[in-house]
Amino acid sequence: MRSSVKVVDSHTHISQVESQDIETVADYNQNFKYGMGAQDNLNLMDQLGIDMQVLHCSGYLGKYHKRVIKENPDRFAAIGKIDERLLPNEEGLEALKAQIDEFGFHGIYYDPWHPENAKAEGADPSEWGSPHPFFHFDDKRFDPQWKLIEELKVPVAITVYNDNLEIICPMVLNVIDKFPNIVIVLMHGLAPPLTAPLPPGNFTSSPILDSKGNVQLPPGATEIAKRNVYHELMPGMDGLRLQPNRYGENDQVIKVFFDTFGPDKLMWGSEFTSIQLPILKQYKYQFDYMKDRCDYMTTADLEMIMGGTACKAYSL
């Protein structure tokens, strides 16, 4: 008998905007492809028995995602991203509120650009204001946005990168101390992959692994284990990026995360179909990864990680 716990992929993408979603030139960018179409995702989900996907929606894709989740309310939920340059001003707060009230999304996707990334895209980092949210989102300047998200009673998914790994947990703790009912998801979890080619002789596949493969949790990690903070796990996809396994040669990081945070704080995600090989074989490999390799996880543990936790965090 199949479990009553939903199977949920907590980190997915679609971006093949269809004609009914295009009203103005701003609604379509032919160069932007961040995933395939919703039907492609549904076909893959049906073949593996995945009940729902949480779509990560950014920018002009909002109307497309709004229609997709309205047409498939039992298969898709979404979290929405706005232009963080608008925050914490009133225009930005209204845009955050619209993600929930107007678009029907289940959470907020918070990912202010690193200043260097902004420059690379031709933007001026000063447009994000001072102090910059990438490094200081816990500053009192941003209290209005966290207050609103707490009042909306939806989670906020904050992206973890190599450049903020050492400071992310203390910032999250500072926000929670001020807004104790806020729910936070650490997007990518605390093991972001290295984004540049590894230098010769360096076998570290993630910043939380030392050169011998020992796990070094970042500051504040054990403390957030006691708070309302959830963590994404994304095993099985690093080979596509031509990078070593971010969880270590023996997946030792997954074991440390499991022991530190517990299955009720961990949620599986895949990045499908924004991935180099968006086919069934690859999706199944990622879907089965922990079941096949983490023999310390019980059936009940896997049910939580593969869906139960996401249902709890995103109220699915």
Side-chain angles (χ1 to χ4, degrees):
M1 180 180 296
R2 184 177 174 181
S3 168
S4 60
V5 180
K6 289 180 181 177
V7 179
V8 181
D9 187 342
S10 69
H11 190 138
T12 62
H13 299 274
I14 55 174
S15 75
Q16 297 288 3
V17 176
E18 299 174 46
S19 58
Q20 62 262 48
D21 305 300
I22 302 172
E23 296 176 359
T24 68
V25 172
D27 291 332
Y28 182 63
N29 180 343
Q30 61 182 341
N31 296 317
F32 184 80
K33 295 291 184 291
Y34 207 60
M36 300 166 73
Q39 190 57 53
D40 297 292
N41 287 43
L42 285 169
N43 291 340
L44 292 165
M45 292 162 67
D46 289 343
Q47 291 180 81
L48 292 179
I50 295 172
D51 296 304
M52 292 192 73
Q53 287 184 342
V54 179
L55 303 171
H56 289 217
C57 171
S58 59
Y60 72 93
L61 294 170
K63 287 191 289 186
Y64 173 45
H65 285 69
K66 176 183 177 181
R67 176 178 62 78
V68 167
I69 63 174
K70 184 177 181 180
E71 293 176 355
N72 305 275
D74 298 327
R75 307 306 304 278
F76 293 117
I79 58 175
K81 183 182 190 304
I82 70 162
D83 185 343
E84 284 90 358
R85 286 173 289 189
L86 300 176
L87 293 170
N89 299 324
E90 191 62 33
E91 182 182 2
L93 298 178
E94 287 298 319
L96 282 183
K97 198 168 185 295
Q99 299 293 301
I100 310 305
D101 294 345
E102 179 183 340
F103 288 87
F105 292 168
H106 279 68
I108 301 299
Y109 168 10
Y110 187 70
D111 185 17
W113 285 358
H114 187 289
E116 294 303 317
N117 290 345
K119 290 179 184 177
E121 294 294 328
D124 181 353
S126 66
E127 294 174 5
W128 279 260
S130 180
H132 195 285
F134 187 89
F135 298 107
H136 303 285
F137 64 67
D138 59 332
D139 187 83
K140 63 181 181 181
R141 172 177 174 244
F142 301 104
D143 284 356
Q145 69 197 40
W146 305 127
K147 181 176 184 292
L148 174 61
I149 292 171
E150 183 184 53
E151 291 172 349
L152 290 171
K153 297 181 180 180
V154 296
V156 55
I158 303 175
T159 310
V160 181
Y161 294 105
N162 299 314
D163 293 330
N164 67 0
L165 179 63
E166 291 297 308
I167 59 175
I168 192 80
C169 294
M171 287 196 293
V172 164
L173 288 168
N174 288 339
V175 170
I176 293 174
D177 285 343
K178 290 186 281 188
F179 304 98
N181 294 318
I182 199 168
V183 177
I184 293 175
V185 176
L186 293 181
M187 200 185 308
H188 304 154
L190 291 177
L194 292 175
T195 53
L198 299 176
N202 185 338
F203 300 103
T204 302
S205 56
S206 172
I208 68 166
L209 287 168
D210 65 21
S211 60
K212 296 181 179 179
N214 299 311
V215 181
Q216 307 286 338
L217 289 175
T222 54
E223 180 60 29
I224 64 170
K226 308 168 189 174
R227 308 299 185 94
N228 209 6
V229 180
Y230 299 90
H231 309 259
E232 291 182 354
L233 283 176
M234 312 183 79
M237 62 177 290
D238 287 322
L240 296 176
R241 301 170 186 250
L242 302 178
Q243 293 283 6
N245 181 3
R246 74 186 72 184
Y247 300 111
E249 184 178 354
N250 300 308
D251 294 308
Q252 60 267 37
V253 174
I254 296 178
K255 181 64 164 65
V256 170
F257 284 179
F258 181 85
D259 292 340
T260 303
F261 306 119
D264 61 337
K265 293 289 185 66
L266 301 175
M267 59 176 78
W268 170 71
S270 73
E271 292 273 15
F272 260 71
T273 49
S274 175
I275 198 164
Q276 284 96 327
L277 195 64
I279 62 172
L280 178 63
K281 182 179 180 180
Q282 177 62 33
Y283 204 21
K284 187 176 190 305
Y285 176 72
Q286 294 179 226
F287 178 71
D288 290 336
Y289 193 94
M290 287 180 285
K291 180 188 68 164
D292 292 343
R293 290 167 176 77
C294 302
D295 57 6
Y296 51 87
M297 293 183 183
T298 67
T299 298
D301 294 335
L302 287 167
E303 286 179 347
M304 287 301 298
I305 296 170
M306 301 299 293
T309 301
C311 286
K312 180 172 64 169
Y314 290 113
S315 300
L316 303 178

